[in-house]
Amino acid sequence: MNPDPDYSAAYLRVETDAGDGLEGHGFVFTIGRGNDVQAAAIRALTPHLVGRDVEGILDDMGGFWRELVWDSQLRWLGPEKGVMHMAIGAVVNAMWDLKAKRAGLPLWQLLARMTPEEIVDLVDFRYLSDALTREDALRILRAAEPGRGEREARLLAGGYPAYTTTPGWLGYSDEKLVRLCREAVADGFGMIKLKVGGNVEDDVRRMRLAREAVGSGIRIAVDANQRWDVDEAIAWMGRLAEFDVAWIEEPTSPDDVLGHAAIARGIAPIPVATGEHSGGRVMFKQMLQAGSLSVLQIDAARVAGVNENIAILLLAAKFGVPVCPHAGGVGLCEAVQHLAMFDFVAVSGSAEGRVIEYVDHLHEHFVTPTSVSDGVYHAPTTPGNGMEMLASSRKEYTFHD
Amino acid sequence: MNPDPDYSAAYLRVETDAGDGLEGHGFVFTIGRGNDVQAAAIRALTPHLVGRDVEGILDDMGGFWRELVWDSQLRWLGPEKGVMHMAIGAVVNAMWDLKAKRAGLPLWQLLARMTPEEIVDLVDFRYLSDALTREDALRILRAAEPGRGEREARLLAGGYPAYTTTPGWLGYSDEKLVRLCREAVADGFGMIKLKVGGNVEDDVRRMRLAREAVGSGIRIAVDANQRWDVDEAIAWMGRLAEFDVAWIEEPTSPDDVLGHAAIARGIAPIPVATGEHSGGRVMFKQMLQAGSLSVLQIDAARVAGVNENIAILLLAAKFGVPVCPHAGGVGLCEAVQHLAMFDFVAVSGSAEGRVIEYVDHLHEHFVTPTSVSDGVYHAPTTPGNGMEMLASSRKEYTFHD
């Protein structure tokens, strides 16, 4: 589906005149063409930032989110989806980066130390109330409050489970696939992921090779990147079922709530995972209501930033569905780990069945690159949201106009 | 929901070196801020047009649509929704304008004279096959074939039913509402529409006044413009039910398939109408599968142009749901009438329960303004898709950079 990605990002840097030298950084990950469209959309939000009192924004991040998402003229271009919505995400994330740096805390810790009341104030429950109310969210957050300290300590000591997509890209030779599978196990990963959907016989052969290479104790997920229609997905997964599939990811159109639900019924007990291309909170609400997914995949740069992802984490907790974030791309690992760790400490209170995607690519461009070893993400302790790229990388790779 | 619209359009004009002086025109309607983002998205599609052989594109409009929608890098910015998808719509529509002008036919007539096989070749059935296959579509189109000539003649003689939203904007005084309702009836409209959702007591009073003004023989629809959550919509419509409501339009988030379905069940037999902000064919498919709507509202400039709207017309025909297009804005009446008329002649074969929205606003800027009188749209006979603005209007109102 994505034969020629040219990994890119529309990048935003927010300066203030506070004199503290702190900046807020955020971006939208793209795969090439259209990055300039994404940059234009971020520029269209400038009036919501320039000349504003920064403390006023940082003290009411829920209100700031609503101001951007409910800008009635910009909302026409979605609403709440596509280019304009992702641009709002970059701005919201950049302000969270600034807020976390001012607090001297990594984002996950800043969020995990807020009170349940402060957290629900970040969330817009409009259009969600048939599935999740403010009171539901408060109950979830209060239930997780007693264990916060203990879980934060566990996280800092032991990290958060990771899985790797490195072995499984289409186009690798069988030899390379087997070698990378073995390396993943040797590196301590308890789960790997393979891309599927090109040719079913190839997929069967590659799954068999991968299963033989890693043994029965390692989980193997597969990812179809939206290639199939409903019936095709069910038939294809029937061929792969014998290999003990951890989940099938994006079997069809990311907007097809009912299609995903039909596939989930048709391939049970294989779990369906989706979300990296989801339109956002209203779509996730429906995916949970319809039983479309049993693994929910948030993305740090697809929806309207931290606030919307908190809404989605709360929805997942309400429905008892584990969140296993999408990552990779440019800086998505650096960014999304904060949300998973916040979820563990303060929302779901569990890492059971949860795992963050890891792709070992482009981390060298970030001020705080992810630290992954022994199959876990080590919790970042540097202040901020993780999205800040090195100034030297930004300078070297800027695509002018 | 849209308190301060500043009606705008990102406008596209396609020239060729054929020497025939014919141009293709298309646009995306916006309501102000963000129009420049939409323009940037159209510019991002230039490589798909400039330097290409125009006959190659016009002879394979289905292939051209797929080329744009499945551009893997641009697709990342949706997929199939928001700014990038609407930009594709402008390009596709502009090429249909050129094709119709070259054929010397209004778009509706050009489409309605294509064979069923040619029409299905325009449609991408990917992600639709669980609800509509190519064979289903062929069956629908072949069933409508025998009556095409007779219906074309009826359309040219008698027009297509219109309804007017002019009386019902929020903010009008009761006196103005009553006066405009009476004028609408005097002008021959069989249906009017009122905006609702601000204050329920105001809505009850306005509905009573409108119903008294028009009498029991005129249909009155109401439009909430996405204001409510599910339970709120059901309760609010309970208050309006006594006034014989023709439909409730956009009761909640346009992406909420399951929410619309819950509302439809909760307010039956009042019909639910939606679609002007729908993400496109995959969303409409689900709305039909779930029983979310019983009136389907296409928009000429929201989805990826003529081809996608044909897919949606075919889906509606498969499910036996009437299509009542959204219009208004800038040039949406001029554009969408072609799709409704094509539907009547060659797809559903019926105008029963169908009606095109009409707002008497900004038509003076178009080369072929809509002709509405006696409550009907008179079928346009000028070649093209209706989207071409007067050169003088384009010059006078261009917002530079």
Side-chain angles (χ1 to χ4, degrees):
Chain A
M1 290 293 276
N2 302 311
D4 60 346
D6 183 6
Y7 281 12
S8 307
Y11 195 91
L12 169 70
R13 193 168 57 86
V14 179
E15 294 180 326
T16 78
D17 58 5
D20 56 9
L22 298 177
E23 298 175 348
H25 292 241
F27 59 77
V28 179
F29 170 59
T30 75
I31 60 171
R33 285 186 294 282
N35 199 70
D36 46 347
V37 180
Q38 199 55 66
I42 294 174
R43 269 195 297 275
L45 294 166
T46 321
H48 287 282
L49 284 179
V50 173
R52 292 279 295 273
D53 175 58
V54 65
E55 284 79 19
I57 294 175
L58 296 182
D59 289 348
D60 181 17
M61 289 294 286
F64 183 61
W65 190 90
R66 286 180 189 85
E67 174 190 323
L68 295 177
V69 171
W70 295 95
D71 178 318
S72 64
Q73 294 188 1
L74 295 177
R75 191 172 176 280
W76 189 266
L77 303 181
E80 296 195 41
K81 52 185 173 282
V83 166
M84 204 63 240
H85 200 57
M86 292 193 283
I88 291 171
V91 172
V92 167
N93 284 337
M95 295 309 288
W96 275 107
D97 187 47
L98 182 59
K99 188 174 167 90
K101 286 171 177 168
R102 283 186 166 206
L105 292 170
L107 177 64
W108 69 269
Q109 223 164 20
L110 172 69
L111 294 172
R113 291 178 181 186
M114 293 173 79
T115 67
E117 291 73 16
E118 287 170 335
I119 294 169
V120 294
D121 283 346
L122 301 172
V123 172
D124 188 353
F125 292 93
R126 192 169 193 178
Y127 300 148
L128 301 185
S129 67
D130 55 323
L132 179 78
T133 63
R134 186 184 163 90
E135 293 65 41
D136 293 334
L138 275 173
R139 254 193 307 275
I140 291 164
L141 293 164
R142 284 176 183 148
E145 233 181 340
R148 282 186 181 188
E150 184 254 334
R151 284 191 297 273
E152 185 173 321
R154 267 172 58 199
L155 190 58
L156 287 164
Y160 194 106
Y163 75 91
T164 175
T165 308
T166 298
W169 300 94
L170 293 173
Y172 285 0
S173 69
D174 289 352
E175 291 67 31
K176 186 168 182 179
L177 167 70
V178 168
R179 174 169 57 78
L180 292 173
C181 283
R182 287 182 181 141
E183 285 177 19
V185 177
D187 288 343
F189 290 102
M191 173 169 156
I192 62 169
K193 191 166 76 187
L194 267 56
K195 301 284 184 180
V196 296
N199 174 296
V200 70
E201 301 305 333
D202 286 344
D203 287 349
V204 169
R205 189 187 71 255
R206 293 169 68 249
M207 272 300 282
R208 176 166 292 124
L209 289 169
R211 178 52 75 203
E212 287 168 4
V214 301
S216 62
I218 302 292
R219 299 170 72 206
I220 308 179
V222 296
D223 182 356
N225 284 104
Q226 314 170 20
R227 289 192 81 116
W228 302 317
D229 280 25
V230 171
D231 292 344
E232 197 179 6
I234 294 170
W236 203 295
M237 289 310 299
R239 295 290 307 278
L240 301 183
E242 64 175 298
F243 302 107
D244 187 15
V245 177
W247 71 58
I248 168 62
E249 181 170 329
E250 287 204 312
T252 189
S253 163
D255 299 321
D256 200 344
V257 173
L258 301 179
H260 277 83
I263 293 167
R265 287 189 302 271
I267 66 170
I270 299 174
V272 170
T274 195
E276 73 170 275
H277 275 86
S278 169
R281 62 200 179 97
V282 174
M283 297 304 290
F284 279 112
K285 177 188 76 166
Q286 295 176 80
M287 291 270 183
L288 290 161
Q289 288 173 320
S292 309
L293 52 78
S294 43
V295 174
L296 189 152
Q297 300 180 299
I298 57 169
D299 181 286
R302 172 69 58 182
V303 299
V306 169
N307 299 56
E308 184 160 357
N309 268 320
I310 292 175
I312 296 164
L313 293 174
L314 286 163
L315 280 164
K318 171 82 186 288
F319 284 83
V321 165
V323 173
C324 297
H326 170 252
V330 178
L332 298 179
C333 299
E334 278 71 15
V336 86
Q337 61 180 336
H338 290 271
L339 300 167
M341 291 175 187
F342 161 65
D343 177 67
F344 172 65
V345 176
V347 185
S348 73
S350 171
E352 183 77 28
R354 290 158 173 90
V355 64
I356 308 172
E357 183 167 22
Y358 180 64
V359 184
D360 191 9
H361 192 41
L362 300 172
H363 304 294
E364 65 275 19
H365 298 292
F366 287 83
V367 171
T368 310
T370 50
S371 167
V372 170
S373 64
D374 299 326
V376 300
Y377 272 80
H378 301 288
T381 53
T382 321
N385 71 359
M387 285 183 149
E388 184 172 349
M389 267 186 214
L390 293 171
S392 54
S393 294
R394 282 185 271 132
K395 191 172 171 201
E396 187 174 353
Y397 292 103
T398 293
F399 185 73
H400 292 285
D401 300 319
Chain B
M1 289 292 277
N2 302 312
D4 60 347
D6 184 4
Y7 280 13
S8 307
Y11 195 91
L12 169 69
R13 194 168 56 86
V14 179
E15 294 180 325
T16 78
D17 57 6
D20 55 9
L22 298 177
E23 298 175 348
H25 292 241
F27 59 77
V28 179
F29 170 59
T30 76
I31 60 172
R33 284 186 294 281
N35 199 70
D36 47 346
V37 179
Q38 198 55 66
I42 294 173
R43 269 194 297 276
L45 294 165
T46 321
H48 288 280
L49 284 179
V50 173
R52 292 278 295 273
D53 175 58
V54 65
E55 285 77 20
I57 293 175
L58 296 182
D59 289 348
D60 181 18
M61 289 295 287
F64 183 60
W65 191 90
R66 287 180 188 85
E67 174 190 324
L68 295 177
V69 171
W70 296 95
D71 177 317
S72 65
Q73 294 187 1
L74 295 177
R75 192 172 175 280
W76 189 267
L77 304 181
E80 295 194 41
K81 52 185 174 279
V83 166
M84 204 64 238
H85 200 58
M86 293 193 283
I88 291 171
V91 172
V92 167
N93 284 336
M95 296 309 287
W96 275 106
D97 186 46
L98 182 59
K99 187 175 168 89
K101 286 171 178 168
R102 284 186 166 209
L105 291 170
L107 177 64
W108 70 269
Q109 225 164 19
L110 172 69
L111 295 172
R113 292 179 181 186
M114 294 172 78
T115 66
E117 290 72 18
E118 288 170 335
I119 295 170
V120 295
D121 283 346
L122 301 172
V123 172
D124 187 354
F125 292 93
R126 192 170 193 176
Y127 300 149
L128 301 185
S129 66
D130 54 323
L132 178 79
T133 63
R134 185 184 164 88
E135 292 65 40
D136 293 334
L138 275 173
R139 253 192 308 274
I140 291 165
L141 293 164
R142 285 177 182 149
E145 234 182 340
R148 283 186 182 188
E150 184 254 332
R151 284 190 297 273
E152 186 173 318
R154 267 171 59 198
L155 191 59
L156 286 165
Y160 194 106
Y163 74 92
T164 175
T165 308
T166 299
W169 299 94
L170 295 172
Y172 284 0
S173 69
D174 290 351
E175 292 68 29
K176 187 168 182 179
L177 168 70
V178 168
R179 175 170 56 79
L180 292 173
C181 284
R182 288 184 181 142
E183 285 178 18
V185 177
D187 288 343
F189 290 103
M191 174 171 156
I192 62 169
K193 191 166 76 186
L194 268 56
K195 300 286 185 179
V196 295
N199 173 294
V200 71
E201 301 305 333
D202 286 344
D203 287 348
V204 168
R205 191 188 67 256
R206 293 169 69 248
M207 272 299 282
R208 177 167 290 126
L209 289 169
R211 178 52 75 202
E212 287 168 3
V214 302
S216 63
I218 302 292
R219 300 170 73 204
I220 307 179
V222 296
D223 182 355
N225 284 104
Q226 314 170 19
R227 290 193 80 117
W228 301 318
D229 280 24
V230 172
D231 292 345
E232 198 179 6
I234 294 170
W236 202 296
M237 289 310 299
R239 295 289 309 279
L240 301 183
E242 64 175 298
F243 302 107
D244 188 15
V245 177
W247 71 58
I248 168 65
E249 180 170 330
E250 287 204 311
T252 190
S253 163
D255 299 321
D256 199 344
V257 173
L258 301 179
H260 276 83
I263 293 168
R265 288 191 300 272
I267 67 170
I270 299 174
V272 170
T274 196
E276 73 169 274
H277 276 86
S278 169
R281 63 199 180 99
V282 174
M283 297 305 289
F284 279 111
K285 177 188 77 168
Q286 295 176 81
M287 290 272 182
L288 291 162
Q289 288 173 320
S292 309
L293 52 78
S294 44
V295 174
L296 189 152
Q297 300 180 299
I298 57 169
D299 181 287
R302 173 68 59 182
V303 300
V306 168
N307 300 56
E308 184 160 358
N309 268 321
I310 293 175
I312 296 164
L313 293 174
L314 287 163
L315 281 163
K318 171 83 187 288
F319 284 84
V321 166
V323 174
C324 298
H326 169 252
V330 179
L332 298 178
C333 300
E334 278 71 15
V336 86
Q337 61 180 337
H338 289 272
L339 300 166
M341 292 176 187
F342 161 64
D343 177 67
F344 172 64
V345 176
V347 186
S348 73
S350 171
E352 183 76 30
R354 290 157 171 89
V355 64
I356 309 173
E357 184 167 21
Y358 179 65
V359 184
D360 191 9
H361 192 43
L362 299 172
H363 304 294
E364 66 275 19
H365 298 293
F366 287 82
V367 171
T368 310
T370 51
S371 167
V372 170
S373 64
D374 300 326
V376 300
Y377 274 78
H378 300 289
T381 53
T382 322
N385 71 1
M387 285 182 148
E388 183 173 350
M389 266 186 215
L390 293 171
S392 54
S393 295
R394 282 185 269 131
K395 191 173 170 201
E396 187 173 353
Y397 292 102
T398 293
F399 185 74
H400 291 285
D401 300 320

